[in-house]
Amino acid sequence: MTDLAEREWRLIRDEPRPGAIQMALEEIAVRTAHEDDLRTVRTYDWNPSTLSLGYRQKAESVDWEFCDDHGIDVTRRQTGGGGIYHDAHADISYTIVAPADDVPGDLMECYALFCEPILDALDRMGLDADFASVPKSSVHGPSCYLRDVNPAHDIVVNTDGDGPSLKVSGNAQYRRKDAVIQHGSISYDLEPDRHLGVFADHDVSTERFAERVGSIRAATGIDRTEAVDTLANALGEWCDATDRDWRDDELNAAETLADRKYANDRWVRDREQPTPRS
């Protein structure tokens, strides 16, 4: 438990939702933190499967036909980095939202603080995981899991013997309205065909992908429900959060924001900020 437990936090064990809604809910959680002095940690899934693009990622890096053919939505995050393929099986996602005044102003210190429960959860699952000790060069830039590995915020699982460390989690932050939002993707299982298929013009094989990316299932064999519960429990205990659900007004606001922004081609393809409605 951290000093953050002195504030009011809620833990949301969220249900699967479309990617545009999931990204919108993060913005709504910022409003709730400011208006109601209520901070949020949550775990969540993506349904339908979704490719989330990094903030500055070019639309040309996406294989739009593959995504259409396989029923994969595409949205764009507020955070940078490469694209991530999410689904309701292979990926486990989380979010932390807090006022900026609650956390260190230094970016790396804030990453270290917010990743404490993530590392704790992976340890509880039986993974030998930590921040990457050394950088690893990019294999394929548009994909988060195949980009340069950054010791500051990429988490790897150490393999037995002399095998290489494998990236198991990518984490990113952004600041909005004096709040800090961190979200991350944790690899429960590998879906290399889809993770690679959503990107255009690459020559990365599924074998090369498996040499780069680790997963909870491969390392421990635990089932996904247990993994999600372990992560949620670690997040909740980290800040002494109370289990709650989204309020109806938050869900309604997220649906409106998702329609206006995160599901809008102007944002997804061209990174154009839609004009707020009066």
Side-chain angles (χ1 to χ4, degrees), residues 137-186:
S137 60
S138 174
V139 174
H140 177 53
S143 169
C144 171
Y145 279 91
L146 301 178
R147 286 169 64 93
D148 293 340
V149 171
N150 189 326
H153 50 76
D154 287 328
I155 294 174
V156 299
V157 59
N158 299 309
T159 56
D160 294 332
D162 296 326
S165 59
L166 305 175
K167 183 171 177 177
V168 74
S169 178
N171 309 276
Q173 285 183 18
Y174 67 101
R175 294 183 181 239
R176 181 179 176 84
K177 295 181 180 178
D178 298 321
V180 176
I181 302 93
Q182 178 167 309
H183 54 198
S185 167
I186 303 173

Side-chain angles (χ1 to χ4, degrees), residues 136 164-167 190 206-214:
K136 186 180 289 187
S165 59
L166 305 175
K167 183 171 177 177
L190 300 184
T206 56
E207 292 78 15
R208 185 72 181 95
F209 180 90
E211 292 172 356
R212 181 85 173 199
V213 183

Side-chain angles (χ1 to χ4, degrees), residues 18-21 23 46-54 57-77 82-86 194 197-200 258 261-270:
I21 296 287
M23 295 297 92
W46 308 68
N47 187 26
S49 300
T50 303
L51 168 63
S52 70
L53 301 178
Q57 190 168 348
K58 294 181 178 180
E60 292 77 16
S61 66
V62 178
D63 188 329
W64 296 95
E65 183 176 355
F66 181 93
C67 291
D68 287 343
D69 290 346
H70 291 81
I72 299 170
D73 283 356
V74 183
T75 189
R76 185 179 294 275
R77 308 187 305 271
I84 308 176
Y85 168 74
H86 310 271
R194 287 190 162 220
V198 296
F199 298 109
K261 179 177 180 180
Y262 289 102
N264 189 316
D265 263 5
R266 287 183 299 158
W267 169 256
V268 176
R269 291 179 182 258
D270 301 320

Side-chain angles (χ1 to χ4, degrees), residues 249-269:
D249 65 298
E250 291 177 302
L251 291 172
N252 292 336
E255 289 179 1
T256 299
L257 178 58
D259 181 62
R260 178 170 59 85
K261 179 177 180 180
Y262 289 102
N264 189 316
D265 263 5
R266 287 183 299 158
W267 169 256
V268 176
R269 291 179 182 258

Side-chain angles (χ1 to χ4, degrees), residues 208-274:
R208 185 72 181 95
F209 180 90
E211 292 172 356
R212 181 85 173 199
V213 183
S215 71
I216 294 169
R217 185 181 182 201
T220 69
I222 67 173
D223 67 41
R224 190 178 185 282
T225 299
E226 181 181 351
V228 174
D229 286 343
T230 301
L231 175 61
N233 292 338
L235 284 164
E237 292 170 20
W238 173 72
C239 58
D240 195 24
T242 302
D243 275 83
R244 300 189 191 180
D245 294 320
W246 296 108
R247 302 189 308 252
D248 287 344
D249 65 298
E250 291 177 302
L251 291 172
N252 292 336
E255 289 179 1
T256 299
L257 178 58
D259 181 62
R260 178 170 59 85
K261 179 177 180 180
Y262 289 102
N264 189 316
D265 263 5
R266 287 183 299 158
W267 169 256
V268 176
R269 291 179 182 258
D270 301 320
R271 210 178 72 214
E272 291 183 11
Q273 292 277 1

